[in-house]
Amino acid sequence: MKKRRIYYSLLMAVMLLLSACSASKNSTEAQYDRGTGQSGANQAGSGNGYTADTSAETTAATEEPKSSAGEATNNSDTNRKRIRKISLILETVEFDGSLKVITEEIQKSGGYVESSSINGSSTEYKGSRSAQYVLRIPADKADSFIKIMGNKMSLIHEEENSQDITLDYVDTQSKVKALQIEQERLLALLEKANKIEDIIALEERLSDVRYQVEQNTSTLRTYDNLVEYATITLNVDEVLRISPVENKSPGSRMKTGLTNSLFNIRDGFVETAVWFVANLPYIIFWGIVIGLSIFITMKVYHKKEKRQPSGPGQNTNAGRKEEGEQKK
């Protein structure tokens, strides 16, 4: 009996030891899977013995771009990615000549027109036309382009916004590198996979990875274009005279106000004269029509008065007047 108890005790100890080892092994594998972020496709291929290698390489791929991101953020200011957006409001007396200058300078700088519109017509009175441009000018030539515009025309307003996208750019680059490495590993696993379910899972994951690579690569191209070319919005207005630079002193403000009032009065007389001369044929035509209408109406009215017969009341009154005279 004692020997049996000893055997049973040894057997129970061995079973407890084996179960403890199995539990520790399972917990270790679960922690390893959570730490490496192993994809469902790699888990599908675990039956072929490729899961641990792929997850380790994927982890190394995801950790490597982080160090490059830190290095990029520590680079000099010249390596930062900035998007420049500039808005200009310009006035010009020579509208056609200014538009020609804009076209020439765009070609010289190597930029292009993203959109443009021109309002008004040269047949209308001067000062009624305007143009709007959205230009893409190389970032290293944007300042010289703005300076030329200010010299050729009168710069009324300038506004600039700058957006730093360095962190977003580096983060997107890291995603692309990690996805490309994962794509290579998935292709290697796909070549060695034998089970249908493993092949289907790998192909699904590979399709998803390829889509993410294309999407992030397109984002990088968009970032590159926005950084390499500054966006400049031009608003060009045709004016009769250039607006003077306003001085905030009371005397200068009064002088500017008086000058503007005199110019407005002059412009009012000029515009009235231009309108009268331009519409003179209409004025003459409608004057003749209205005059003939009044003349014909008066003519008809006088004829009706002359032809109107005396009524019965008028005959009775006349008879009474005659009887009264006879009685007298």
Side-chain angles (χ1 to χ4, degrees):
M1 293 295 291
K2 291 182 178 180
K3 291 182 178 180
R4 287 182 180 180
R5 290 179 181 177
I6 293 171
Y7 289 148
Y8 286 143
S9 300
L10 291 174
L11 182 60
M12 291 295 294
V14 170
M15 290 179 66
L16 289 173
L17 181 62
L18 290 175
S19 62
C21 291
S22 177
S24 63
K25 182 179 179 181
N26 291 334
S27 62
T28 303
E29 290 178 352
Q31 291 177 358
Y32 177 78
D33 291 339
R34 288 194 297 269
T36 56
Q38 185 177 358
S39 64
N42 292 335
Q43 291 175 358
S46 61
N48 298 324
Y50 308 129
T51 304
D53 294 339
T54 306
S55 61
E57 290 172 352
T58 305
T59 305
T62 55
E63 290 178 355
E64 181 181 356
K66 289 182 180 179
S67 61
S68 63
E71 293 175 359
T73 53
N74 293 328
N75 286 338
S76 61
D77 189 68
T78 57
N79 293 329
R80 302 195 69 82
K81 303 291 184 179
R82 286 193 176 91
I83 298 175
R84 295 184 65 188
K85 293 183 179 180
I86 305 162
S87 178
L88 304 177
I89 298 178
L90 303 164
E91 288 184 350
T92 179
V93 178
E94 298 295 334
F95 188 76
D96 296 325
S98 298
L99 298 188
K100 185 178 180 181
V101 169
I102 293 173
T103 303
E104 291 175 353
E105 294 301 325
I106 292 172
Q107 295 175 353
K108 290 179 182 179
S109 64
Y112 61 93
V113 179
E114 188 173 275
S115 65
S116 64
S117 63
I118 299 176
N119 302 316
S121 173
S122 59
T123 58
E124 300 178 6
Y125 63 91
K126 196 171 184 180
S128 64
R129 292 181 290 175
S130 63
Q132 292 80 35
Y133 289 92
V134 177
L135 308 177
R136 303 302 307 281
I137 305 297
D140 57 343
K141 298 181 180 179
D143 293 329
S144 60
F145 181 85
I146 295 171
K147 185 177 180 181
I148 292 172
M149 293 297 102
N151 293 334
K152 298 293 183 179
M153 291 169 278
S154 178
L155 180 60
I156 302 302
H157 177 75
E158 179 179 357
E159 182 178 353
E160 179 175 350
N161 294 319
S162 180
Q163 182 183 1
D164 193 331
I165 59 167
T166 305
L167 295 178
D168 293 335
Y169 190 91
V170 174
D171 184 52
T172 307
Q173 275 186 327
S174 302
K175 290 179 181 178
V176 171
K177 290 179 181 178
L179 289 168
Q180 288 174 344
I181 293 173
E182 184 179 358
Q183 183 178 357
E184 293 175 359
R185 300 299 174 263
L186 289 171
L187 289 172
L189 288 174
L190 189 61
E191 291 178 357
K192 298 178 182 179
N194 295 322
K195 295 181 180 180
I196 298 298
E197 56 270 20
D198 294 344
I199 294 173
I200 293 173
L202 288 169
E203 287 181 347
E204 289 180 354
R205 177 58 185 167
L206 186 61
S207 177
D208 184 42
V209 169
R210 283 173 176 170
Y211 173 76
Q212 293 183 40
V213 169
E214 292 177 358
Q215 191 176 27
N216 285 279
T217 303
S218 177
T219 302
L220 287 177
R221 287 197 296 267
T222 302
Y223 282 159
D224 288 335
N225 183 266
L226 291 173
V227 171
E228 292 174 3
Y229 288 83
T231 303
I232 300 178
T233 303
L234 291 182
N235 292 280
V236 183
D237 296 323
E238 183 184 23
V239 294
L240 296 174
R241 65 183 183 279
I242 300 298
S243 300
V245 179
E246 185 178 357
N247 193 336
K248 294 185 178 181
S249 63
S252 178
R253 291 172 60 188
M254 286 188 289
K255 181 181 178 180
T256 302
L258 178 61
T259 304
N260 289 335
S261 298
L262 294 175
F263 275 122
N264 290 333
I265 293 172
R266 185 201 65 180
D267 294 341
F269 279 117
V270 171
E271 296 304 327
T272 302
V274 170
W275 179 88
F276 181 81
V277 173
N279 294 278
L280 189 59
Y282 296 101
I283 295 172
I284 294 173
F285 173 77
W286 288 110
I288 292 172
V289 170
I290 294 171
L292 287 175
S293 300
I294 294 173
F295 177 77
I296 293 171
T297 303
M298 294 299 294
K299 196 83 172 176
V300 171
Y301 179 76
H302 286 305
K303 284 182 179 180
K304 284 184 178 180
E305 281 188 347
K306 290 180 180 179
R307 292 178 181 179
Q308 186 176 4
S310 57
Q314 292 178 351
N315 294 334
T316 304
N317 292 332
R320 289 178 180 177
K321 287 181 180 179
E322 291 178 357
E323 291 178 358
E325 289 177 355
Q326 289 178 0
K327 288 179 179 181
K328 290 180 179 179

